[in-house]
Amino acid sequence: MSTLNIAILPGDGIGPEVMQEALKVMETLSALDSSFQFNTEELPWNSDYFLTHGQMMPDDGLDRLKKFDAILFGAIGDSRVPDETTIWELIMPIRKQFQQYINFRPIKKLNGISSPLKEEYDIDFVVIRENAEGEYSNSGGRLYAGAPQEVAIQNTIMTRQGIQKISEFAFQYAQKNNRKKVTSATKSNAIIHSMKLWDEVTKEVASAFPLIRFEQNYIDALAAYFVMRPQSFDVVIASNLFGDILTDLGAALVGGLGIAPSANLNPEKEYPSMFEPIHGSAPDIAGKNIANPIAQIWSVALLLEFHDRKDLANIVLQSIQQVLIKREALTPDLGGKGTTADVGNAIVQALQEF
Ligand code: ATP
C-alpha cells in the first residue's frame, strides 16, 4: 500500500483528547509494520476557529481536504456556537461534497463489555445508513414565523439512484464478508411515497443477490427486534433518520457511546472518506482526561479496513478486545478508574505484544 495521507480534524471538547490516543495507535502500527506508512496534517477547524474567523473552515477548506486519502474526525460541538453552525458548516459540507453517501456503523459486542440486555447475546452486525439525502435534506422552510398560523415544511428526498447505491453497497458488503442476510428498515405502510420507492428499489437490488436473504421490517418492529433478538441481524440498511436512531440503539446494546465508531464512505474512493466516533464533544467530561478513546481508535480500524488493510484493522480490534477483557485500564464510562491516556497506552502495549 502506498503512503496514506490523512487529514486530522480533532474538533472540540474531548475530540482532541481521544484523537491523541488514535494517533499513538497509528504510529505504533507503522513502527510495527513497515508496509503501513502514513502522513497526517492536523487542521484546527473547530468552534474556537469559528469564534476567531467567523467560519468553521477557510473558504478553500474543502479543496484542501479533497487532496487527502481519508479524514479522521474527532468530535464537534460547543455551547458558544449553535449546533446548526457546527453541523451544517463543517460536517455536512464534508459529507455532501465528498459524496459520502454511506454511513457505516458496526454494532459488535466485544468480550469484556456488558450489554444492558439481560441475556448475553452474540451481537455482531453492521448498520448501513443512507447519509446524503432522505429525511435530513435541508429542503423546506417556514411560513408566518411566530404567528398562530405558522407552518413548517421539511421535505424528505429519496432518489432511485441514492437508494440503489446504498442497497448495492449493502449487498456487496454482505457478499464479501460472508454475511447471510440484509434487513431493510422501512415504514411504507405509513410513509407511502418515499418509503414505497425505498422498498421497490431495495427489493430490485436484492433480486440480483439470490444467495443473500432479504427481509423488510417496519422500523417500529425492527427497533423492538434489536432489543429482543439482536443476534439475528447481519446487515441492516436504513434511511438517514431511521439509521440515525437505530445505530444509537445499537451502540447502547454493545457498550455505549465511548466505544462506537462510524465511517462516512465514498465507496468509489473518488473523494476522501471520513472516520469518526459516533459520540459528540462531551463537554461535561472535556478536559478531565477521562474520555474513552476506544471509539476513536476503532474508527482508525475502520479507516484501515476501507483502505485494504483489514489485517491491521483486525489487530487493532483484537488489541482493544484484550484491554477490555483485562479490565486494568478502562475509563469510568466502562466502570474503570483509568484515564484516556491509560487506555490508549494499554492498547498500544497490546499491539506491541502481538
Ligand atoms: P452531540 O449532540 O454532539 O451528540 P451530546 O452531548 O448529546 O452531543 P455526547 O457529547 O456524545 O452527546 O455525550 C453524551 C454523553 O455521553 C455525555 O454524558 C458524555 O459525557 C458521554 N460520552 C460521550 N462520549 C464519551 C466518551 N468517549 N467517553 C466517555 N463518555 C462519553
Side-chain angles (χ1 to χ4, degrees):
M1 183 174 70
S2 52
T3 303
L4 267 184
N5 290 311
I6 306 172
I8 304 292
L9 279 167
D12 294 323
I14 63 169
E17 300 171 33
V18 291
M19 185 65 83
Q20 206 175 327
E21 304 312 310
L23 290 172
K24 274 188 205 166
V25 164
M26 287 185 3
E27 275 152 25
T28 308
L29 284 174
S30 176
L32 291 171
D33 181 342
S34 59
S35 71
F36 172 56
Q37 297 300 327
F38 67 96
N39 293 320
T40 56
E41 182 181 341
E42 190 169 319
L43 300 164
W45 304 338
N46 61 7
S47 297
D48 277 337
Y49 185 94
F50 177 83
L51 292 168
T52 312
H53 298 90
Q55 52 187 5
M56 289 301 297
M57 62 175 143
D59 290 339
D60 66 349
L62 291 173
D63 283 338
R64 283 170 62 186
L65 280 178
K66 199 171 151 185
K67 300 195 177 81
F68 290 92
D69 298 310
I71 302 165
L72 188 63
F73 194 89
I76 201 86
D78 184 307
S79 58
R80 298 167 300 164
V81 180
D83 279 352
E84 252 171 61
T85 303
T86 48
I87 293 174
W88 284 97
E89 292 186 21
L90 187 67
I91 299 179
M92 287 303 181
I94 294 174
R95 285 186 185 169
K96 286 185 192 294
Q97 188 75 21
F98 296 155
Q99 294 177 33
Q100 296 169 348
Y101 59 88
I102 302 289
N103 187 268
F104 178 91
R105 296 195 186 181
I107 308 289
K108 181 176 168 67
K109 192 170 98 51
L110 300 178
N111 293 330
I113 290 285
S114 52
S115 163
L117 298 178
K118 249 194 320 201
E119 279 186 52
E120 279 292 314
Y121 295 111
D122 180 11
I123 305 174
D124 182 7
F125 62 96
V126 299
V127 179
I128 292 171
R129 165 185 163 198
E130 202 291 314
N131 209 27
E133 51 183 44
E135 304 87 344
Y136 292 179
S137 76
N138 60 355
S139 160
R142 276 161 82 156
L143 286 177
Y144 317 119
Q149 69 272 36
E150 185 166 3
V151 179
I153 295 174
Q154 180 82 43
N155 295 311
T156 292
I157 306 219
M158 297 251 184
T159 65
R160 173 171 285 278
Q161 228 177 32
I163 304 166
Q164 195 165 339
K165 284 199 298 188
I166 169 192
S167 308
E168 281 169 358
F169 179 88
F171 278 93
Q172 280 158 8
Y173 175 86
Q175 197 170 48
K176 202 167 145 198
N177 291 277
N178 207 17
R179 300 280 192 169
K180 308 267 180 284
K181 185 172 78 166
V182 172
T183 305
S184 164
T186 184
K187 193 63 195 174
S188 51
N189 54 345
I191 305 175
I192 58 171
H193 303 297
S194 54
M195 275 295 157
K196 277 240 154 71
L197 179 65
W198 173 274
D199 282 3
E200 278 167 31
V201 179
T202 48
K203 204 167 164 200
E204 269 169 39
V205 172
S207 66
F209 295 84
L211 297 180
I212 297 168
R213 245 180 79 201
F214 178 58
E215 61 183 16
Q216 296 171 313
N217 285 169
Y218 291 130
I219 180 68
D220 39 353
L222 186 55
Y225 298 153
F226 263 38
V227 175
M228 286 152 52
R229 49 174 174 84
Q231 78 286 10
S232 71
F233 297 103
D234 257 343
V235 176
V236 176
I237 44 172
S239 66
N240 217 331
L241 169 67
F242 290 174
D244 195 4
I245 299 169
L246 281 177
T247 47
D248 267 27
L249 173 57
L253 299 179
V254 294
L257 288 176
I259 305 262
S262 75
N264 303 281
L265 302 178
N266 173 246
E268 295 78 15
K269 296 199 172 107
E270 191 183 344
Y271 299 100
S273 294
M274 180 161 70
F275 303 82
E276 57 178 325
I278 73 165
H279 61 71
S281 58
D284 54 332
I285 58 165
K288 296 184 177 157
N289 198 20
I290 53 166
N292 190 342
I294 291 180
Q296 184 79 66
I297 293 170
W298 196 339
S299 305
V300 169
L302 295 185
L303 185 159
L304 293 166
E305 182 175 348
F306 186 66
H307 288 92
D308 305 319
R309 290 306 302 258
K310 196 161 184 185
D311 56 333
L312 294 180
N314 285 342
I315 294 173
V316 172
L317 208 55
Q318 284 171 45
S319 301
I320 293 174
Q321 175 74 86
Q322 275 194 18
V323 169
L324 290 171
I325 292 172
K326 275 194 187 161
R327 298 196 67 80
E328 283 166 7
L330 293 182
T331 42
D333 58 308
L334 296 182
K337 291 195 167 67
T339 64
T340 306
D342 290 339
V343 179
N345 292 341
I347 293 172
V348 163
Q349 199 185 334
L351 278 171
Q352 283 163 340
E353 285 165 8
F354 252 92

